[in-house]
Amino acid sequence: MNQVQVDTLLAIVEEGSFEVAAAVLGISPSAVSQRIKALESDTGRVLLRRTTPVEPTEAGEILVQTARRIALVQAEAQAQLDARVRSIPLSVGVNADSLHSWFQPVIGKVAGLGGATLRLRVEDETETLGMLRRGDVLGAVTSEHTPVAGCEASRLGTMRYYAMASPGLHKRAWEEMPMVLYSKQDPVLKSTLRGLGLELREMRGRRNFVPAIDAYNEAVRVGLGWGMIPEIQAEALLESGELVVLDNVHLDLELWWQRWRLDSEMLDKLTEFVHEAAAELR
């Protein structure tokens, strides 16, 4: 395979379109199309879905993952050869609650490395593994302990979520209380309901969707509905009485770090930083 063509494939996937990839690579869109057609001809596979944004097919994902591995190794080699190295891409999948709390020190430590580029992708802890499997990220905070092929997994700790609400809501029946969901999937809240012997469809109270952590916690605080909030995010609000725990209902979420099994000094450092930051978990 032609490495230039593979690099072009990676650029299209990262930028989401042929046109933007062409601008980034400094070539014409027609040249980008020609490279991809030649690569698809060589491999005998369709590599891209011409959607908006452009997405790789299953065969394309294999080449994209390979290209990212090569890019990391090349960047590290360049870092050793050239002190003026511009960036070493460290792409990470992380769930929003972790990013909003214990994960934040990782950002400062990566900044201290000098020359490293950190790219964070935010998804539910049940979805970050898909990014790793597709090769979109080098490492991921996930709730899955079984390693993805080509990766290794290590335990980070447990995030404890409590069902919380404003004091004015806590005496209502579960089925009648309004609720706040982070997303329509919201695996933490749905798991909590199942633990109570309930399903989301049985809840007669209104459902609110607030897909941002600060706004989500504020929505629960002001009484828009009850929600699942990590203990480490709500300590001050519990102490002040602005939030109360509902019937001591909680969910313990085991978190794991999965990363590519790759001999990489930068990836080793990132793993070290993630584990140091996760020390405050249970």
Side-chain angles (χ1 to χ4, degrees), residues 237-255:
L237 293 174
L238 290 171
E239 289 178 5
S240 68
E242 294 175 87
L243 285 179
V244 295
V245 175
L246 302 174
D247 301 333
N248 199 33
V249 172
H250 64 272
L251 175 74
D252 286 339
L253 180 66
E254 289 280 319
L255 292 178

Side-chain angles (χ1 to χ4, degrees), residues 177-214:
M177 273 193 295
M179 66 180 67
V180 184
L181 291 90
Y182 183 78
S183 66
K184 291 186 178 181
Q185 290 75 34
D186 204 332
V188 171
L189 190 141
K190 288 182 178 179
S191 294
T192 301
L193 287 176
R194 285 194 292 271
L196 293 167
L198 299 168
E199 292 292 336
L200 188 59
R201 63 178 178 272
E202 299 172 0
M203 306 302 285
R204 294 185 289 275
R206 68 180 185 274
R207 301 171 193 173
N208 305 282
F209 295 95
V210 183
I213 293 302
D214 285 334

Side-chain angles (χ1 to χ4, degrees), residues 250-282:
H250 64 272
L251 175 74
D252 286 339
L253 180 66
E254 289 280 319
L255 292 178
W256 294 75
W257 171 247
Q258 292 212 28
R259 50 158 286 184
W260 288 357
R261 193 181 298 115
L262 184 66
D263 187 12
S264 162
E265 181 181 355
M266 281 294 183
L267 191 51
D268 289 344
K269 281 288 187 183
L270 176 63
T271 297
E272 178 185 331
F273 296 158
V274 170
H275 276 280
E276 288 175 353
E280 68 174 288
L281 298 177
R282 289 173 175 267

Side-chain angles (χ1 to χ4, degrees), residues 12-13 15-17 49-56:
I12 294 170
V13 172
E15 302 302 334
S17 77
R49 299 185 185 93
R50 272 65 169 180
T51 55
T52 304
V54 177
E55 295 182 346

Side-chain angles (χ1 to χ4, degrees), residues 120-133:
L120 297 180
R121 299 276 301 274
V122 181
E123 279 288 357
D124 288 336
E125 61 282 345
T126 57
E127 300 296 329
T128 52
L129 207 63
M131 297 180 186
L132 194 65
R133 188 177 288 112

Side-chain angles (χ1 to χ4, degrees), residues 2 7 69-70 92 107 122 133 137 157 163 166 199 214 217 250 252 263:
N2 184 298
D7 290 342
R69 290 174 185 258
I70 293 171
V92 177
I107 299 172
V122 181
R133 188 177 288 112
V137 295
S166 64
E199 292 292 336
D214 285 334
N217 293 349
H250 64 272
D252 286 339
D263 187 12

